[in-house]
Amino acid sequence: MKRKGFFITFEGGEGAGKSTQIQHACTYLKKLGKKAVLLREPGSTSIGEKIRQVLLDSQNQKMCVETELFLYLAARAQLVREMILPELAKGSVVVCDRFEDSTLAYQGHGGGISLDLLKKVSVLARGTLTPNLTFFLDLNPKEGLKRAGRRDRMEQKSIQFHEKLHQGYLLLARQNLKRIIVLDATESISEIQKKIEKELSHALA
């Protein structure tokens, strides 16, 4: 299936403000005359939404990191094939709340699974698909968890876990300077929106 569209992802720890910025990005893309398709991971398919419920259920505290990994990958495999690739083939701009960077940060840096192993198994889920552009909303984990309220299972993990995944995200950003745009999530919503608009205009010109 030939890829004609453009694939954008948003990443960040808990409470970084991704949802607000993603909604604005989609609105802005439509102003540019683009067909913007908003997706979330895990989710956005009937199978993915069921997997999401299991992953985020705070009752599932005994879930081991390997189980967590395979559930996220299963949801991604379905999302890529059912939604992302068909929309890209139509020429849509696909905007996704989280993708493979989340796996490397959460299950890798945070959860302790080998990054080399993660990269190998992740290919099974996404195939050759990689984002054209990624926005990382950078926020201190303590502040982020305070904002988020620690309601779901992932938010309830230890502060040490969240600090490790935050450092993992920063490392990913340094390793992918052309793809990952780091945004200071402590700035005002409007300031962040302006920066995102500028990057989108440049990328899609």
Side-chain angles (χ1 to χ4, degrees), residues 5-189:
F6 199 83
F7 184 31
I8 301 166
T9 58
F10 278 75
E11 296 284 352
E14 312 303 329
K18 285 187 293 87
S19 299
T20 301
Q21 296 302 336
I22 289 169
Q23 291 287 348
H24 179 78
C26 287
T27 301
Y28 182 70
L29 287 166
K30 287 169 186 173
K31 283 182 184 176
L32 294 179
K34 307 293 182 182
K35 183 193 174 186
V37 178
L38 173 57
L39 304 173
R40 70 175 181 176
E41 193 198 79
S44 295
T45 66
S46 59
I47 292 170
E49 289 297 332
K50 288 171 185 173
I51 293 172
R52 184 183 183 88
Q53 288 175 11
V54 174
L55 279 164
L56 300 185
D57 189 342
S58 58
Q59 299 296 312
N60 293 334
Q61 295 295 339
K62 291 183 179 179
M63 185 183 297
C64 65
V65 67
E66 291 82 6
T67 299
E68 192 176 279
L69 169 65
F70 286 123
L71 287 171
Y72 275 114
L73 292 180
R76 181 173 306 142
Q78 191 66 30
L79 183 65
V80 166
R81 288 154 185 83
E82 185 178 332
M83 297 295 297
I84 300 177
L85 292 179
E87 287 296 339
L88 290 175
K90 292 176 192 174
S92 304
V93 178
V94 175
V95 182
C96 195
D97 184 346
R98 300 196 182 283
F99 200 65
E100 188 173 313
D101 293 318
S102 282
T103 301
L104 298 172
Y106 278 77
Q107 285 75 52
H109 291 279
I113 296 178
S114 157
L115 294 176
D116 287 338
L117 181 60
L118 282 180
K119 288 172 184 175
K120 287 175 184 174
V121 296
S122 290
V123 173
L124 206 57
R126 65 168 170 82
T128 59
L129 178 66
T130 54
N132 296 101
L133 180 66
T134 298
F135 292 103
F136 166 56
L137 285 148
D138 182 17
L139 183 65
N140 177 284
K142 287 182 181 176
E143 175 60 28
L145 291 170
K146 194 188 298 180
R147 288 186 187 182
R150 307 197 78 157
R151 291 164 295 187
D152 66 42
R153 191 183 66 85
M154 298 304 289
E155 291 171 358
Q156 290 168 4
K157 287 179 181 270
S158 71
I159 185 62
Q160 290 81 10
F161 170 88
H162 288 282
E163 286 172 346
K164 285 178 185 175
L165 76 87
H166 180 244
Q167 290 304 313
Y169 268 129
L170 292 175
L171 178 61
L172 283 166
R174 289 195 296 272
Q175 292 171 339
N176 297 274
L177 294 172
K178 290 183 179 178
R179 174 175 65 87
I180 301 179
I181 306 298
V182 179
L183 301 165
D184 183 353
T186 64
E187 290 187 339
S188 70
I189 290 173

